[in-house]
Amino acid sequence: MTVREWELVGAPNARDLGGLVGADGRRVRAGLLLRTPALGRLTDEDLPVLATLAPACVVDLRYAAEIAQAPPDRLPGGPTVVHLPVHDAAHPVFTYVSALLLGHDLEAYGALAERGTPAAMAAIYRWFVTGESARRGFGAALRLAADPANLPLVFHCSAGKDRTGWLAVVLLTVLGVDGAAIRADYLRHNELTVSLREVLLEAMRRRRPELDVDAVRPVLEVRPEYLDAAYDEVARVHGSFEAYLRDGLGVTDELVSAVRANLLE
């Protein structure tokens, strides 16, 4: 299947990163690098689609409590699953996103209103650059992409937008994709999940008539300022994205060459 010939009803923001133009004008190969949300809500009709995509390796960026509270991923074909938890207790918005997606009542609603703001989301993105588990997880995912035995590679968190989004940024940057194209892919989440967001918000309104929609939307969306916060942190701490890859994630020139050899046409 080519880049745009498939979709997953139970994972509406799932997509193939193939087709984007990378280093030396070479395109990312279709069907090898797939970003998704958690796959526990796939429909029966989705399963043959995923089976045709035939992932060899699935990278799960969720931490243990998220995985335990969610429906198990539905993974036809028995791919290797690698858990690379990217989580920090100081940033509980991950917990809020998971609770929203699973339809849980939010006991800490006041905390959501306080901590689920755009400023809090931007803080998470800065943490993606400096946090120990973030650097460890994103670096390990890159090393998996350097091994052709792990392709096609699927990677996901809960919503498939923040941790998954930053890993996509890292992978596509390594592949030499233009920054504008990387940003456009990142922002596609909002377009692909319009209906899902409204369903979630309406369900919450019914359970909590006092719901402040403006306090919830920031954790359901991606926004340019979130991505900019991560880029600014890269510049502040490392000076350049190349230095972040090298010093923050342990990416060598050999690793970059291997990833490009595997994933570029």
Side-chain angles (χ1 to χ4, degrees), residues 142-185:
L142 276 172
R143 285 183 280 278
L144 289 170
D147 184 346
N150 295 320
L151 303 177
L153 179 71
V154 171
F155 58 99
H156 74 77
C157 51
S158 284
K161 68 185 187 72
D162 299 314
R163 289 164 288 185
T164 298
W166 183 246
L167 179 52
V169 168
V170 170
L171 284 162
L172 292 175
T173 302
V174 167
L175 291 169
V177 175
D178 173 77
I182 292 173
R183 182 177 292 267
D185 173 74

Side-chain angles (χ1 to χ4, degrees), residues 112-130:
L112 173 65
E114 178 183 349
R115 300 295 296 275
T117 64
M121 294 298 294
I124 288 175
Y125 276 71
R126 289 191 291 272
W127 175 83
F128 286 162
V129 176
T130 57

